[in-house]
Amino acid sequence: MNDLLEQFLVETRELVQSATEDLLALEGRPGDAEAVNRVFRAFHTLKGSVGLFDYPPWFALLHAAEDGLSAARAGNLAVDARLIDLSLEALDATARWSDAVEATGRLPDTAAGESSALAERYRSLLSPGPRSTTEATGAVPDWAARLVASMAEAPAGPSTAVRYRPRGDCFFSGDDPLGLVRKVPGLLAVSVEPAMPWPPDGEFDAYACNLDITLLAGAPRPEVEAPFRLVSDQVTVVDVYATGTARPSSASAMDPVVAAILGEQLLAMAAPGDTETAHGRLEACARSAANALRSIGRDADAERCREALERGAASLGPAIEAALAGGGATGPRSDREASGAYERPSGAHGGGTARTLRVDAVRVDALVSQVGELVVARNALGRLAARAEAGENPVTLARAIREADADIGRLATSLHRDAVSLRLMPLSEVFRRFARPVREAARSLGKEVRLDFEGEGTEADKGIVENLFEPLLHVVRNAVDHGLEDTGTRLRLGKPAAGRISIAAGQDGDGIVVSVSDDGRGIDPAFIRRRAVERGLRSRDAVSAMDDVAVTDLIFAPGFSTAGSVGALSGRGVGMDAVRAAAERMGGRVSVESRAGAGTTVALHLPRTVALARVLVVGIGIESYGFAMDAVDEVVRVPRSAIHAVAGGAATVLRGRTLPVLRLADLLDRRYSAGIAMEALLLVVRADGQTVALEIDRLEDRLDAVVRAPSGLVGTVPGVGGTTTLGDGTVLLVVDPAALLANLALVGQGTSGDGR
């Protein structure tokens, strides 16, 4: 994929998203002129960008959309549901075609039909009725009528007439007027005349275009307009409806453009002029005629024109007339060349997805600065090596090495932080995509829904942001479908008619929490119990022994649903196991809180990024585990006598507060026969708003480490939040206290950690 196309695809997606947001805003504020202007500018920019490439159906659709929105800007078309819905469909098509071009390099086979249908709907908004006045009456402009009259017989069926008046400076813009005309498929007739009378005397400006080109083509209008997509302001296109046999004169039997060029040479030769310029004019006419004939493979006629020039004006005119009268087949010009079709060069992008990331220049500058400091620190190591070779005192040298190590460690930490920040993206990139699906879901169900966002500026790794939309979309759709009551029910319950869905994000230590909340009916634990038994997910005795939190977690069990019947959208719980699986793939977890009649909140707890973290290494038995320092409050030793047996476990009082005491070995299902020490070493950690003390055997180390999400078999170990590699190459499991304790609570209720 070339750089221009790649940039076009990136900008197209941004324009589609911004235009979608403005269209949705127009539903509530149809009179917002600035929003209409923004939508128009988005479509105008999209059309101009598509015009750089050869995608006629795409260009035709965007051109029709631009016409509709231009009428809306001028106040000639109402900004109502019809225009908004149609424009959203056009944006949907643009988004799908962008993906197709990125994947295959071309538009889908259905693009032409879809473009034609949507464009016709735009035209029907502008001109209601089966056919415009011009079409209905058969009336055409004078220039088009003259073109049809110039033909021996009128064309059969509908055709398209074009009047192209290039700008005077078009050559300086790289335009080739006749080249564009030759790309029009199905040419039937062409006429080339001066746009303004040629000056009878004076200097002739060879670099100024003074052409008025009219043509008639039998191809569909979108195909005829396509070659002129970059000069649409210089073109007038009309539909011509006539009956007859499409058998043009012999002059038109050759290429119509060539016939027009030859005719113009005859007119130029017949024009009055002085004797000083006569020879130059004849030579120019002969060369133009010969070149035109060669372009269609009529080399013999071209040579006759050259020879006639040597004999004089009396011979050149008849030679050109003979070429016109001869007609005949054109040269080996393929249909593809005639239609101006674009052929992708070999080696062009065929598959795969472009990976791009926009980065704030300030972050790049900070990274470059850190690299410079690291180079300086590395040079200091060279001086230390020289001092060691010189036999410097080992004590002094060791102190200097430790200082250098501390400097490099500080720079490595800072460098990693700045490098990771390059991948950070605001969650607004995800949040802004939900307005459209919520609107469509609410309309299909006849509900009123207000969507709120909070914490859009929260940043997360690009991989997290890109993979967050699908699981959140499922939760949001469930909230609209089965979380929120219908308007009548809400009014009877004393709630506002419009239900509220809130998507929020925020920091949670080294991670983020993204939640979807609604103010609907909530989840009734009693109903969940009955449904779980009905579907055979749990026995009656098992669900009776579970508390409400564990029962609510059953919505994540595969196949579970609270919906009484299958609807257009999933019932709350259907596929929620996929939401949990998606969160776990991103190295996080999902939780749910609900109050019957008050609403439900589904929260995804996710890592913010692959970060360099301070890790405390502890040991139990012969194994070592890591804890993020941010989750550790303190490490204390307490006498065994200070740990008391309580209902369901053990607890101790530390600084005036009672903390549950749990053995880390028991939580990780490790059994060791080590003796019981007189004192217990406790690791006090925070997890989901509660503080607990974990008994460990020893403290081993503190280190800076890159903690990565667990994968493979390690990802199935309960309570493991990540892994890191130690200096000797061994893998250290980093414990997630919240996940470890959540798993303990579920196991204590007789359920597995995934709700199954």
Side-chain angles (χ1 to χ4, degrees):
M1 182 186 298
N2 62 56
D3 292 341
L4 181 61
L5 182 58
E6 183 175 347
Q7 184 65 25
F8 158 71
L9 293 174
V10 172
E11 293 181 352
T12 294
R13 292 186 177 102
E14 293 177 351
L15 288 168
V16 166
Q17 183 60 47
S18 62
T20 298
E21 293 173 2
D22 285 327
L23 284 169
L24 295 177
L26 279 172
E27 278 196 315
R29 303 189 305 274
D32 189 344
E34 185 54 38
V36 175
N37 288 335
R38 288 196 300 268
V39 175
F40 171 81
R41 286 195 294 268
F43 274 95
H44 179 73
T45 304
L46 283 170
K47 188 192 80 169
S49 298
V50 170
L52 297 174
F53 307 93
D54 200 17
Y55 301 122
W58 201 350
F59 184 87
L61 170 58
L62 293 172
H63 185 65
E66 184 186 35
D67 287 344
L69 291 164
S70 178
R73 291 176 75 201
N76 298 325
L77 182 64
V79 181
D80 56 14
R82 293 184 305 162
L83 178 62
I84 292 173
D85 288 343
L86 180 55
S87 298
L88 288 172
E89 290 184 51
L91 292 175
D92 286 342
T94 292
R96 284 187 278 104
W97 295 349
S98 297
D99 294 339
V101 168
E102 184 176 48
T104 67
R106 63 186 184 87
L107 295 180
D109 295 336
T110 58
E114 186 176 3
S115 169
S116 178
L118 291 173
E120 183 59 34
R121 288 171 60 188
Y122 272 111
R123 284 192 285 271
S124 69
L125 290 179
L126 294 171
S127 303
R131 183 177 292 181
S132 67
T133 302
T134 299
E135 294 172 347
T137 62
V140 295
D142 291 343
W143 57 268
R146 288 196 303 271
L147 196 63
V148 173
S150 69
M151 301 179 63
E153 305 237 0
S159 55
T160 304
V162 178
R163 185 174 195 175
Y164 175 26
R165 305 191 73 170
R167 292 200 314 261
D169 61 348
C170 68
F171 302 134
F172 296 96
S173 302
D175 294 341
D176 179 4
L178 294 180
L180 292 179
V181 172
R182 295 196 58 180
K183 290 184 178 181
V184 176
L187 276 175
L188 300 175
V190 177
S191 171
V192 181
E193 300 177 356
M196 301 291 291
W198 296 109
D201 298 308
E203 184 177 350
F204 173 73
D205 186 356
Y207 298 101
C209 184
N210 184 34
L211 298 180
D212 184 357
I213 305 172
T214 56
L215 62 91
L216 191 68
R221 179 169 178 157
E223 296 181 16
V224 174
E225 291 177 326
F228 302 103
R229 59 188 181 275
L230 296 182
V231 293
S232 57
D233 59 319
Q234 305 162 42
V235 172
T236 303
V237 183
V238 297
D239 296 324
V240 176
Y241 293 84
T243 59
T245 303
R247 189 182 63 189
S249 65
S250 59
S252 297
M254 66 166 61
D255 186 295
V257 176
V258 174
I261 293 174
L262 297 181
E264 287 302 311
Q265 307 317 307
L266 292 174
L267 293 175
M269 291 171 59
D274 56 48
T275 56
E276 294 181 1
T277 62
H279 180 73
R281 187 195 318 171
L282 288 177
E283 184 174 358
C285 290
R287 286 181 178 275
S288 297
N291 289 337
L293 289 166
R294 287 194 186 95
S295 71
I296 59 172
R298 301 273 293 277
D299 292 343
D301 287 335
E303 184 61 24
R304 279 192 286 272
C305 289
R306 189 190 65 78
E307 293 173 352
L309 175 64
E310 297 176 356
R311 293 193 297 270
S315 298
L316 180 58
I320 295 177
E321 290 176 349
L324 269 172
T330 62
R333 182 168 172 246
S334 68
D335 291 339
R336 176 174 294 273
E337 293 170 333
S339 65
Y342 172 74
E343 183 174 355
R344 288 168 48 79
S346 61
H349 179 75
T353 302
R355 294 177 57 84
T356 59
L357 184 67
R358 294 194 172 188
V359 179
D360 188 344
V362 174
R363 291 180 174 177
V364 177
D365 293 341
L367 188 65
V368 172
S369 176
Q370 295 290 344
V371 171
E373 292 187 42
L374 189 61
V375 170
V376 173
R378 184 264 176 197
N379 292 336
L381 286 179
R383 293 196 298 273
L384 287 175
R387 290 166 58 183
E389 291 173 352
E392 187 171 329
N393 186 300
V395 176
T396 306
L397 191 60
R399 186 181 304 111
I401 291 175
R402 286 190 176 277
E403 291 174 356
D405 177 69
D407 287 342
I408 292 177
R410 174 183 58 80
L411 289 170
T413 301
S414 179
L415 186 62
H416 181 274
R417 183 183 63 248
D418 290 345
V420 167
S421 73
L422 298 181
R423 288 181 54 88
L424 294 181
M425 297 173 61
L427 290 179
S428 58
E429 297 288 334
V430 178
F431 287 6
R432 63 194 298 200
R433 297 171 61 186
F434 282 101
R436 176 81 180 277
V438 168
R439 168 186 181 267
E440 293 176 348
R443 289 181 65 179
S444 67
L445 296 169
K447 296 181 179 180
E448 296 182 44
V449 180
R450 189 180 83 245
L451 183 63
D452 297 328
F453 299 113
E454 183 179 345
E456 301 106 308
T458 303
E459 291 186 320
D461 184 82
K462 179 176 182 285
I464 297 292
V465 174
E466 291 178 345
N467 289 292
L468 190 57
F469 178 73
E470 290 299 330
L472 280 183
L473 178 61
H474 196 92
V475 177
V476 168
R477 281 178 170 167
N478 280 336
V480 176
D481 192 2
H482 297 288
L484 297 177
E485 308 92 341
D486 59 78
T487 302
T489 302
R490 291 183 64 86
L491 291 175
R492 286 195 300 273
L493 294 173
K495 294 183 177 182
R500 183 185 64 83
I501 292 178
S502 176
I503 304 178
Q507 294 290 133
D508 181 24
D510 285 340
I512 61 170
V513 177
V514 183
S515 62
V516 177
S517 303
D518 66 66
D519 64 348
R521 58 175 60 90
I523 299 176
D524 183 1
F527 178 74
I528 298 293
R529 286 186 170 90
R530 292 195 304 270
R531 185 53 62 90
V533 173
E534 291 171 2
R535 294 186 174 247
L537 297 175
R538 294 290 184 274
S539 68
R540 192 175 303 277
D541 292 339
V543 296
S544 297
M546 298 165 62
D547 65 12
D548 288 349
V549 174
V551 167
T552 301
D553 196 72
L554 284 176
I555 68 170
F556 296 105
F560 185 84
S561 174
T562 63
S565 61
V566 177
L569 301 175
S570 298
R572 182 178 295 277
V574 174
M576 290 294 283
D577 60 317
V579 176
R580 170 164 280 175
E584 291 174 349
R585 282 196 302 270
M586 291 185 281
R589 57 189 177 84
V590 61
S591 64
V592 59
E593 295 181 4
S594 182
R595 286 193 303 151
T600 301
T601 297
V602 177
L604 280 73
H605 306 259
L606 303 168
R608 180 170 180 259
T609 184
V610 178
L612 196 64
R614 294 284 291 175
V615 174
L616 180 66
V617 183
V618 303
I620 54 171
I622 61 174
E623 296 181 344
S624 300
Y625 294 89
F627 283 82
M629 291 289 289
D630 288 342
V632 178
D633 276 352
E634 59 181 320
V635 180
V636 297
R637 289 187 182 273
V638 299
R640 290 283 173 188
S641 59
I643 300 177
H644 307 282
V646 296
T652 187
V653 177
L654 185 64
R655 295 183 177 83
R657 57 178 176 169
T658 301
L659 300 179
V661 178
L662 305 169
R663 281 181 53 83
L664 182 58
D666 294 338
L667 294 177
L668 296 173
D669 198 21
R670 297 293 185 265
R671 298 290 182 265
Y672 300 108
S673 59
I676 302 298
M678 296 298 294
E679 291 185 325
L681 182 60
L682 302 180
L683 187 70
V684 181
V685 298
R686 300 183 308 279
D688 275 349
Q690 59 179 322
T691 304
V692 299
L694 302 178
E695 184 177 349
I696 59 177
D697 292 344
R698 61 189 178 277
L699 291 175
E700 294 186 354
D701 199 1
R702 286 183 300 177
L703 51 87
D704 294 322
V706 175
V707 179
R708 303 183 183 278
S711 58
L713 291 176
V714 176
T716 65
V717 179
V720 174
T723 62
T724 188
T725 304
L726 300 178
D728 60 1
T730 59
V731 176
L732 179 72
L733 301 183
V734 179
V735 176
D736 179 359
L740 190 66
L741 297 176
N743 180 69
L744 174 67
L746 292 175
V747 171
Q749 295 296 333
T751 67
S752 65
D754 62 0
R756 288 176 274 192

